[in-house]
């Protein structure tokens, strides 16, 4: 009865569109009341879920991204991307993807990427003659590269859950992120060629050099983050703080787009965003603890292994489950609830934990662009002032492209394990 109440309220909350954190809290509280378990369990398990030194880097990376974005980073990254690929057929579409790949190394979140790049690129593409649904769709699709390329909030969560080094998780996402971006650029070029979308003239090597010079300090932030952790010079949390200081100095004194009067607002916005994530982490931990106490993870593993113990089929089934869950559940909540049991299942058939963690995150990133809960879809549809139906129709080629990349990463461990293993040697 208690488990049915828990899952029933959770599904009902998702269907009604109630925020995931509140849905997790209500369903968990109902279960505890029905089971006669003291409600003090909720704050206890919430605290246990967020009592991790590594999680302290989430506020730091969010603050660093907000400081850099406020300091004028978006314009410089878009200019660099346009100088690199804007001259091709459908060049602004390719620029959109390239900008998201560059911006992803700073923001670490797909929503920030979609809002920042989309706010500039969607109106610009519309003015240049591109269909608005295509412009919004490619912005939403490419924004999912952000949490794959380091730094990445989902990768931090996964590192905390699995005990895998966050630095290794960041490296594991680098090649799949680049592969994902290149695949979307090829898809955009094919669509542009088929529909004879506009192209911009080549602006010359001088413009490329100037654009790179303008974006140099922004690009170096990614080098600082990854290099700091991999060198062993700093922990992820210390790196996040250093990145925030770097972002402030570059935004205020190099780019001079960041005004000192705006810093308090940025600090408050970053604190609110980080608090929302950590509350979600805490409540998801309560929900996950209940599932473990009911032996749901073991039941899932036993059910899958009763069907097959073939490694390749198990990977396929895990992908199907995560793709489906990603359509309805927020990424961080899905990771906290499902990652550990699915990791145990994957390890049971010989899948490397680092490899599994990478394609698990990639799965849930694709979910950010699928209805009915695709956050990036809503952001880009709102910017383009189009309906959810219009953007959904336009984004399917990119979703299929990303699924192909997902399968490639899932079945070829090289893409996720090569760089971490190379550095650790």
């Amino acid at each position: 009865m208690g488990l049915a109440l828990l899952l029933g309220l959770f599904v009902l909350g998702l269907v009604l569109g109630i925020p995931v954190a509140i849905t997790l809290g209500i369903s968990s509280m109902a279960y505890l009341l029905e089971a006669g378990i003291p409600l003090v369990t909720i704050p206890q398990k919430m605290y246990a879920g967020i009592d991790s030194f590594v999680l302290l880097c989430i506020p730091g990376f969010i603050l660093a991204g907000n400081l850099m974005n406020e300091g004028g980073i978006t314009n410089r990254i878009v200019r660099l991307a346009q100088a690199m690929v804007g001259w091709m057929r459908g060049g602004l579409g390719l620029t959109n993807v390239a900008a998201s790949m560059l911006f992803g190394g700073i923001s670490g979140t797909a929503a920030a990427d979609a809002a920042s790049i989309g706010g500039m690129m969607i109106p610009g593409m519309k003015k240049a003659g591109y269909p608005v649904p295509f412009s919004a769709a490619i912005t939403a699709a490419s924004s999912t590269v952000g949490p794959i390329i380091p730094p990445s909030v989902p990768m931090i969560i996964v590192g905390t859950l699995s005990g895998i080094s966050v630095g290794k998780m960041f490296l594991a996402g680098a090649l799949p992120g680049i592969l994902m971006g290149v695949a979307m650029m090829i898809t955009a070029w094919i669509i542009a060629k088929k529909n004879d979308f506009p192209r911009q003239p080549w602006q010359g090597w001088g413009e490329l050099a100037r654009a790179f010079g303008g974006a140099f300090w922004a690009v170096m932030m990614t080098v600082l983050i990854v290099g700091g952790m991999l060198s062993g010079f700093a922990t992820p949390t210390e790196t996040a703080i250093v990145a925030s200081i770097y972002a402030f100095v570059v935004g205020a004194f190099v780019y001079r787009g960041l005004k000192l009067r705006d810093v308090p607002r940025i600090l408050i916005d970053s604190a609110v965003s980080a608090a929302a994530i950590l509350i979600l982490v805490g409540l998801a931990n309560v929900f996950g603890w209940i599932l473990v106490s009911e032996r749901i993870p073991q039941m899932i593993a036993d059910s899958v292994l009763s069907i097959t113990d073939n490694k390749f089929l198990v990977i396929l089934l895990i992908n199907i489950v995560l793709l489906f869950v990603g359509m309805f559940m927020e990424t961080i909540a899905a990771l906290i609830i499902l990652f550990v049991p699915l990791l145990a299942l994957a390890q049971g058939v010989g899948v490397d934990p680092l490899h599994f963690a990478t394609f698990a995150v990639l799965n849930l990133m694709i979910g950010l662009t699928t209805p009915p809960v695709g956050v990036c879809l809503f952001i880009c549809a709102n910017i383009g002032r189009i309906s959810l139906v219009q953007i959904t129709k336009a984004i399917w080629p990119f979703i299929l492209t990303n699924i192909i990349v997902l399968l490639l990463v899932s079945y070829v461990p090289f893409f996720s394990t090569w760089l971490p293993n190379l550095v650790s040697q």
Side-chain angles (χ1 to χ4, degrees):
M1 175 62 185
L3 183 60
L5 181 64
L6 175 82
L7 298 179
L9 286 175
F10 179 69
V11 172
L12 179 63
L14 293 181
V15 171
L16 294 177
I18 299 173
V20 175
I22 296 176
T23 300
L24 288 168
I26 291 174
S27 56
S28 299
M29 184 171 66
Y31 173 90
L32 296 177
L33 288 172
E34 198 279 334
I37 299 174
L39 292 183
V40 71
T41 303
I42 293 179
Q44 288 175 344
K45 295 301 176 183
M46 284 184 68
Y47 180 79
I50 61 177
D51 184 23
S52 170
F53 182 71
V54 173
L55 290 180
L56 282 174
C57 65
I58 291 178
F61 284 129
I62 291 175
L63 175 60
N66 287 342
L67 287 168
M68 287 295 276
N69 190 38
E70 193 75 21
I73 176 69
T74 306
N75 294 339
R76 288 173 170 82
I77 283 182
V78 170
R79 181 183 175 187
L80 174 59
Q82 188 164 353
M84 290 191 300
V85 298
W87 53 272
M88 300 180 186
R89 176 66 62 188
L92 286 185
L94 275 64
T95 297
N96 199 319
V97 179
S100 291
M101 293 172 70
L102 293 169
F103 192 81
I106 295 167
S107 70
T109 59
D113 189 346
S116 300
I117 301 294
M120 185 176 191
M121 289 301 301
I122 294 175
M125 292 177 70
K126 178 182 178 181
K127 186 177 180 181
Y130 290 79
V132 177
F134 171 81
S135 306
I138 194 171
T139 303
S142 63
S143 68
T144 58
V145 175
I148 304 297
I149 295 176
S152 161
V153 171
M155 292 294 193
I156 295 168
I157 298 293
V158 165
T160 305
L161 292 171
S162 63
I164 301 172
S165 159
V166 173
K168 283 191 172 183
M169 284 303 313
F170 281 2
L171 275 184
L175 276 182
I178 293 171
L179 186 64
M180 196 175 177
V182 171
M184 280 191 283
M185 291 176 77
I186 293 172
T187 303
W189 180 81
I190 292 171
I191 295 173
K193 192 170 181 63
K194 179 181 177 182
N195 295 280
D196 196 28
F197 287 168
R199 62 189 299 174
Q200 283 69 45
W202 165 246
Q203 299 177 48
W205 293 104
E207 169 59 18
L208 179 59
R210 288 189 294 272
F212 178 76
F216 173 79
W217 295 106
V219 175
M220 284 302 295
M221 185 169 169
T222 303
V223 177
L224 171 70
I225 291 169
V226 177
M229 283 186 289
L230 295 181
S231 65
F233 178 74
T235 65
T237 302
E238 292 165 346
T239 302
I241 302 306
V242 172
S244 296
I245 296 171
Y246 175 89
F248 172 75
V249 172
V250 170
F253 303 109
V254 179
Y255 290 156
R256 298 186 179 181
L258 178 64
K259 306 300 180 185
L260 292 181
R261 65 174 178 272
D262 294 329
V263 172
R265 173 181 56 80
I266 296 170
L267 287 170
I268 292 172
D269 290 345
S270 301
V272 170
S273 297
I277 291 174
L278 292 175
I279 287 173
L280 178 58
V281 169
L283 289 170
N285 191 63
V286 178
F287 192 90
W289 171 78
I290 294 172
L291 293 182
V292 170
S293 67
E294 291 282 353
R295 302 190 76 253
I296 298 301
Q298 188 62 46
M299 289 170 58
I300 292 173
D302 292 343
S303 298
V304 172
L305 293 176
S306 68
I307 299 173
T308 180
D309 60 358
N310 181 281
K311 177 179 178 179
F312 299 103
L313 288 178
V314 169
I315 289 175
L316 180 62
L317 288 172
I318 289 174
N319 278 328
I320 291 172
V321 168
L322 288 174
L323 282 172
F324 179 77
V325 168
M327 294 173 64
F328 298 94
M329 196 184 301
E330 199 277 339
T331 301
I332 294 175
L335 282 173
I336 293 173
I337 294 169
L338 293 174
F339 182 82
V340 173
L342 291 181
L343 173 62
L345 174 60
Q347 286 183 292
V349 293
V351 178
D352 181 87
L354 191 62
H355 175 213
F356 168 76
T358 306
F359 73 75
V361 172
L362 189 54
N363 261 294
L364 295 172
M365 290 304 100
I366 295 174
L368 293 172
T369 59
T370 56
V373 193
V375 176
C376 295
L377 278 185
F378 287 100
I379 291 173
C380 293
N382 184 57
I383 294 172
R385 297 182 181 178
I386 58 175
S387 69
L388 189 61
V389 173
Q390 288 175 293
I391 192 173
T392 300
K393 287 180 179 178
I395 204 172
W396 277 112
F398 298 103
I399 291 178
L400 292 175
T401 298
N402 287 340
I403 289 175
I404 292 171
V405 173
L406 167 65
L407 292 175
L408 188 60
V409 173
S410 298
Y411 288 108
V412 184
F414 168 85
F415 290 109
S416 52
T417 60
W418 178 67
L419 267 179
N421 291 338
L422 185 67
V423 171
S424 62
Q425 289 176 355

